[in-house]
Amino acid sequence: MLRAARALLAMRHPLDAEISFSKLLGSWWGERLPGVDVDRLIGEGLIAHATASDRPEGLGVLAAVTALGTNDTQRALAEQGVIVLRERGLTGPGWATQLGWVTPLSAYVNGDRFGDIDEVVLVFGRESERGSGQAEPEHALILVQDHNGGGVLRDAWITTQVETLLKQCRERARTDDFARFEGIEPTEARGVLERALHRTEQVVSGADRSEAPVPQAVGLTASDLTGGSLAAHFALANARIRRLPEPACGAPPPVPVWRRDRRAVLAARFLASDEAAELSDSYAASRCTDHIITHGCDIDSGRPLRVSPRKVESFLLHWLPGRVVLLPEEQEAMPHVLAAWVRWAGTRNGLPQVAVGATLDAVWESTAAFARTYRDPARPLGLRQEAVRRLLPDGDFAALARRMFAFPLMASELVAWAPEEFDPDTSAGRRALLRLDHFGEYDATTPHSGRHSSGRDHWYRPVTGHDPERERLLDRHERLAVRLWHGRPPNLWAAARRMLDRGVDRTTVLKALDEVLGSATSESELRRRLDFL
């Protein structure tokens, strides 16, 4: 990397150097190795090597990381390295002191009436060489935000043809009724883009996704984000967003929060509307409406009323099959409920009728594919429908694997004869499941039929006595199982999956998770330790 940086010393303009170093820093962005913090290993290793090199190219690398590093630790270490090398008498290229020192001039949003994709245009300038004190437009950074992908960034690029770009966008908005180009406050742009950066990094790193979309649920993988120009410009985008002014209150405007009662009111208004009057199965319609609203609130940045052809396709073909278990009657009703929602929400969201019609066409064109791709977990996974309903009382298909890992007996017929005694919602039910799972014992004093579906009586061993050590073990595993059941924190199941993928057996995985859970003194420390498992 230092040899590659040597060629950059001949550059004359700081923007050229910023773009080149951003590509260098993005070369390992998104790389993942089990148990290894790749960004820390390579990033901090590069800083240490550059500091020890005692060369001008090392100083150039450190200056670039000081301006473009994607985390505070790397920027601080690089700044210390710059001080060390300068104290040794080294001088860097002319652009080294100008990296990152730009002034935000304006911000715009370029898109269309559907709102699937927003191109956020940030215009920056530097002071002219004549020393007028006025920053002149130098370049524009364009960041592409995909709202159907949960608000992640999908692309980024730089142009120095600022006036040409703005002229073309304004002309398109003037001649195309569907186009939208408007200015926004730089403070608002910072809030929007910081959230987009956060979600993008969560998807790429595979870490805590409590606020980010599940990639499989929106048809998105980490390689979709790291394989293009976004990786090359990600460090530069981070640096430019940090140059935008912060809101006066010190925090970005929050994403609209849709509490349960507010979502219920919205559903009630739709179900009482003329558009929903022809839906015959009111229960199935209500359940389908809840899923439509959940998708709009959680994936589409709190915009359940926004409809578009791409959004309904993503909802039907990616989010629903990856997240929700629908009953057969709900599968049949869903396209009809969604079509009624499009007519109702599109009108209230100010969408032209031609756009509403195009969205309805997308619903019906996706219906056949929806019927083919929507998977019934009871068939491919070999599960009884009753077991699926017990494991997924909330219909969240994404939770199936971790709940089966926490309580594997619930997916079997071994406990089918006494479902009320093995209820994971109660402490007694959880203890019974875990005791039977770990020790093959069951409290024989509890009234039950005592007969397994195979006809064998008393296939379990009765609990023979009180063992304090065993009870303490059950206490710890119950605490772990509850966290796995609810998916809190998401890092917990991510760590378990990584170990299982490496061939670690379930007992060892449970022991490792239990040790981390017992030793962590805070939730932040717990998440940090889990990410290193």
Side-chain angles (χ1 to χ4, degrees), residues 1-22:
M1 290 184 181
L2 286 181
R3 285 196 296 270
R6 189 179 306 162
L8 304 179
L9 296 178
M11 290 184 172
R12 301 178 59 87
H13 200 282
L15 180 61
D16 293 331
E18 287 170 334
I19 294 174
S20 297
F21 276 108
S22 182

Side-chain angles (χ1 to χ4, degrees), residues 7 37 40 72 81 86 116-117 123 143 162 177 203 263 277 291 317 329 384 390 405 409 420 437 440 448 505 513:
D37 187 339
R40 180 179 179 182
D72 294 336
R86 284 180 176 163
D116 295 306
I117 296 290
V123 178
L143 296 167
V162 179
D177 291 337
V203 172
R263 300 185 189 198
H291 297 314
L317 304 183
E329 56 270 24
R384 295 173 294 107
R390 293 180 62 204
F405 178 78
L409 290 182
E420 69 284 352
D437 179 25
H448 59 84
D505 62 90
L513 296 178

Side-chain angles (χ1 to χ4, degrees), residues 205-410:
S205 68
D208 186 347
R209 295 175 185 160
S210 56
E211 299 175 5
V214 177
Q216 295 85 350
V218 292
L220 186 68
T221 63
S223 61
D224 293 330
L225 305 180
T226 59
S229 64
L230 179 61
H233 293 88
F234 195 74
L236 181 58
N238 265 283
R240 289 295 186 264
I241 292 171
R242 290 196 301 271
R243 298 294 297 176
L244 295 174
E246 294 185 8
C249 62
V255 175
V257 176
W258 285 79
R259 297 185 304 272
R260 183 177 299 180
D261 56 345
R262 190 180 176 195
R263 300 185 189 198
V265 169
L266 183 63
R269 288 177 177 171
F270 163 67
L271 294 171
S273 67
D274 292 340
E275 289 83 355
E278 295 182 0
L279 300 174
S280 56
D281 189 335
S282 59
Y283 176 78
S286 176
R287 293 273 294 177
C288 292
T289 302
D290 290 341
H291 297 314
I292 294 170
I293 294 174
T294 297
H295 175 263
C297 293
D298 296 347
I299 298 297
D300 196 15
S301 301
R303 299 187 297 176
L305 292 178
R306 188 183 74 83
V307 295
S308 75
R310 280 194 58 199
K311 182 176 179 179
V312 299
E313 289 173 4
S314 177
F315 171 72
L316 285 174
L317 304 183
H318 296 293
W319 189 82
L320 273 177
R323 290 291 305 217
V324 179
V325 175
L326 294 178
L327 299 175
E329 56 270 24
E330 293 167 355
Q331 294 181 38
E332 183 178 349
M334 180 57 77
H336 304 280
V337 178
L338 183 58
W341 178 270
V342 167
R343 291 191 294 269
W344 182 77
T347 302
R348 280 151 184 78
N349 207 27
L351 205 60
Q353 282 302 312
V354 63
V356 173
T359 307
L360 288 172
D361 290 342
V363 173
W364 302 123
E365 289 169 2
S366 302
T367 298
F370 166 71
R372 289 194 303 270
T373 61
Y374 196 91
R375 53 179 178 263
D376 177 4
R379 287 199 298 270
L381 298 180
L383 299 178
R384 295 173 294 107
Q385 189 64 38
E386 179 57 31
V388 173
R389 295 191 183 188
R390 293 180 62 204
L391 284 161
L392 305 177
D394 50 3
D396 185 1
F397 183 77
L400 183 60
R402 57 179 162 82
R403 290 177 180 174
M404 287 179 62
F405 178 78
F407 299 110
L409 290 182
M410 289 190 65

Side-chain angles (χ1 to χ4, degrees), residues 431 467-477 514:
R431 302 281 287 203
D467 185 338
E469 181 61 31
R470 184 173 290 187
E471 294 303 317
R472 284 192 292 270
L473 176 64
L474 288 176
D475 288 339
R476 296 198 305 271
H477 281 199
D514 177 54

Side-chain angles (χ1 to χ4, degrees), residues 426-503:
T426 67
S427 179
R430 291 190 294 267
R431 302 281 287 203
L433 282 166
L434 294 173
R435 188 183 299 276
L436 198 59
D437 179 25
H438 291 305
F439 310 122
E441 294 181 352
Y442 181 69
D443 186 1
T445 61
T446 305
H448 59 84
S449 65
R451 182 173 293 274
H452 182 255
S453 58
S454 64
R456 292 179 295 165
D457 291 322
H458 305 303
W459 50 268
Y460 54 81
R461 294 194 305 271
V463 178
T464 56
H466 180 75
D467 185 338
E469 181 61 31
R470 184 173 290 187
E471 294 303 317
R472 284 192 292 270
L473 176 64
L474 288 176
D475 288 339
R476 296 198 305 271
H477 281 199
E478 182 184 358
R479 179 180 59 177
L480 174 61
V482 169
R483 283 182 174 269
L484 285 168
W485 182 271
H486 295 289
R488 293 195 297 264
N491 314 59
L492 186 65
W493 177 232
R497 287 203 315 272
R498 288 195 299 272
M499 287 186 283
L500 291 170
D501 290 342
R502 295 199 301 268

